Amino acid sequence: MLNLTVHSILSLFVAAASTVFAAPQSVPITGILSGQGTWYEQGLGACGFLENDSEFVVAIGHTLFDTYPGYAGGNPNNNPVCGRTVTAAYQGHTVTATVLDRCVGCDTYDLDFSPAAFSQLAPQSVGRLLGVEWVFN
Ligand SMILES: *[C@@H]1O[C@H](CO)[C@@H](O)[C@H](O)[C@H]1NC(C)=O
């Protein structure tokens, strides 16, 4: 009886601890990913580099950035996703861009491009592209 009680209390504690302290779940990063495409004016990115609008760079969604394998949180400059390239396709156009930033307003697989990179997919005036398909290279 005592053993059972201790065991029950421990089980409850473990369950509570894993609920409270669980690391964010990582999300798939292989295969063809799909989300919206947008663009924004460049500046200092989360990876610690100053980007300009002419570079082919992209920000990935905060969930994907924060749970990227090998990133334990802390200094985002150390995220191993920094410097990886993605190739994205939209209506027969493709672009390859380097991940250098984290997009706060993006859903998991949305991509927020530099103006130059976005322009390879569609005119900037379109603004938001639905159904951009992309892969990590
Ligand atoms: C943008 O950055 C690239 C790479 O660092 C550089 O070659 C280019 O001159 C820069 N362009 C502008 C307009 O600053």
Side-chain angles (χ1 to χ4, degrees), residues 18-97:
S18 59
T19 303
V20 174
F21 301 115
Q25 287 291 303
S26 60
V27 296
I29 58 167
T30 55
I32 297 175
L33 308 170
S34 181
Q36 298 187 8
T38 48
W39 63 269
Y40 69 112
E41 287 171 7
Q42 299 300 297
L44 179 64
C47 293
F49 297 97
L50 196 59
E51 294 106 43
N52 67 52
D53 291 353
S54 307
E55 295 177 279
F56 281 26
V57 294
V58 66
I60 60 171
H62 58 96
T63 300
L64 184 54
F65 189 96
D66 293 347
T67 64
Y68 190 81
Y71 178 54
N75 188 344
N77 297 358
N78 298 333
N79 191 324
V81 78
C82 294
R84 283 204 69 175
T85 63
V86 304
T87 296
Y90 179 73
Q91 293 189 347
H93 302 273
T94 62
V95 66
T96 296

Side-chain angles (χ1 to χ4, degrees), residues 33-43 45 51-61 84-91 93-107 109-137:
L33 308 170
S34 181
Q36 298 187 8
T38 48
W39 63 269
Y40 69 112
E41 287 171 7
Q42 299 300 297
E51 294 106 43
N52 67 52
D53 291 353
S54 307
E55 295 177 279
F56 281 26
V57 294
V58 66
I60 60 171
R84 283 204 69 175
T85 63
V86 304
T87 296
Y90 179 73
Q91 293 189 347
H93 302 273
T94 62
V95 66
T96 296
T98 304
V99 176
L100 287 181
D101 204 1
R102 174 182 184 272
C103 174
V104 175
C106 288
D107 279 340
Y109 297 119
D110 292 349
L111 295 176
D112 205 5
F113 294 98
S114 63
F118 185 95
S119 297
Q120 300 299 304
L121 300 178
Q124 279 175 243
S125 58
V126 177
R128 182 176 297 272
L129 311 178
L130 305 181
V132 173
E133 297 199 313
W134 61 277
V135 293
F136 278 110
N137 295 308

